[in-house]
Amino acid sequence: MNAFCTTVTASHFPYARALARSFRDTDNLEPLYVLVLGSPKESLPADPNLIVVAWEEVAAGSPRLMPYYFSAFEFCNAAKPFLISHLFEKLGMEKVVYLDSDLLIADRFDRIWTALDTSAMLITPHHLTPPPLTARHTNEVDVIDLGFLNGGFTAWRRGEAAHKMLAWMRERFPVYGFYRHLGMAADQKLLPLLLAYFPQDVRVLFSPALNIAYWNAQERDVTLRDGRWWAGGERVLFFHLSGYKLSQPDLACAYVSPEANAALLASAPWLRAVMDAYHQLVAPYFADYQAPAYTLTTYDGVWLNNDFRRLLFRTGRLDRGSGAFWRIWLVQTLRMVKRLSTGVRPLR
C-alpha cells in the first residue's frame, strides 16, 4: 500500500485539509497522513479525507526535549523522517510521498509511484536552469544558503536503503535541524548529503512539471490547455505555493518585496491563475477556523524564545542559576517592554 504524508502545526491544519481535497480532486486516492505537532489531535476538526497522527505515535528514538528546543517551523521539518519511518515500520506502507502542506496537486502521482520502482528516494532541486542575475525574487546565493534541494517533496520506497537513510536523518535532524542557527536551514542543507552517502539510492528528478514554485516560476513554460496544466511538454504534477498568504492574495510570495512580486508575475503571468485556484481551494478551510493553541511555547515555566530554545538544546535545561539564562531573560524582557511601549503586542 502507498501513502502520502505531511507535517503541520494546528495553525496550518487547514492547508493540510486543502491538500487532502486537492488529492481527491485529481483522483489520488492513497491515504494522507498528517502529523500535527504541538496540539492534541482531538482538538482538530474531523476530516474523512485525512488521518491525523500525533507526535507521541512516531517519536520513538527522538530526543526528549526536541519538541521544546526547536521552533514550530524547525520541529515540522525535523519530524519528517520520524513520520515516514512510522508509515513504513508500523503501518507497513510500501511507498510513501512526503509533501509540504502548501501544495496544489494537478495530476495523478502514477509517474512518481513508478519511478520509485528503480530508486529508494526521489527529490527535486530548487532550480533547473540558472536564474537571471536581474531576478529580484530569487538568486543562487539564496539557493546555496538554503540548500539546492527542496525539502517540500520527497518520495520513498520501503527497503534497506530507505531504512538506512531515514535512520541517518532521525539521528542528524534533531541535532542540526535548526533554521538560521549553526549555519543551517532546517533540513535543506542536510538533504544534499544523501547524494554523497547513498549515491546509488537517491535520484534527483529534473522535471519541469514538478515542484513549480515562486523561486523557479521564471524558468517554467506553464500553460493551461483543456483544463490541464502543462510545463515543458509534461502534465504538471504539483505547484508549491510557498509564501502565498490568503491575507495578501495579490502577492505570489509574501517573503519577497512587492516590487519583486510584480516582476515575478510579469515574467510568469500564468502564476496568477494558479494563485487564484489555490485561494479558492484553501479559503473555505480557514473560514471560521479557530486553531488550537500551540502548547510547546514554554518549558519549566519559561516562555521559549529562540535564545532560550538554543540554551535548552546546548545544556538540556534552563538553569536559573546561570549567567546565560539571565542574559537571555533580560534581552527578552527589554524587547517585550519596547513592544508594549509602542503599542505592539508581544509575539507569541
Side-chain angles (χ1 to χ4, degrees), residues 84-93 158 163 166-167 170:
I84 297 166
S85 295
H86 172 77
L87 296 179
F88 282 143
E89 297 169 13
K90 301 299 182 181
L91 301 186
M93 299 298 170
R158 183 181 181 182
H163 176 78
L166 289 166
R170 293 196 308 273

Side-chain angles (χ1 to χ4, degrees), residues 36-37 40 105 148 154 163 191 227-228 270 290 295 299 339:
V36 180
L37 300 169
I105 309 302
F148 81 91
T154 56
H163 176 78
L191 291 172
R228 295 283 188 179
W270 53 264
Q290 298 294 323
T295 62
Y299 180 80
R339 292 190 187 105

Side-chain angles (χ1 to χ4, degrees), residues 11-81:
S11 64
H12 281 58
F13 188 62
Y15 288 106
R17 297 186 68 191
L19 177 64
R21 175 59 186 270
S22 190
F23 279 131
R24 296 301 176 266
D25 288 348
T26 49
D27 293 325
N28 289 286
L29 303 182
E30 293 81 3
L32 170 63
Y33 290 83
V34 180
L35 175 59
V36 180
L37 300 169
S39 301
K41 65 180 185 179
E42 295 78 14
S43 64
L44 300 166
D47 192 320
N49 292 322
L50 54 81
I51 302 165
V52 177
V53 181
W55 172 243
E56 293 73 21
E57 298 175 56
V58 308
S62 66
R64 178 179 64 87
L65 295 178
M66 178 178 163
Y68 296 96
Y69 65 66
F70 278 144
S71 69
F73 173 74
E74 293 164 345
F75 192 19
C76 282
N77 285 285
K80 295 175 189 177

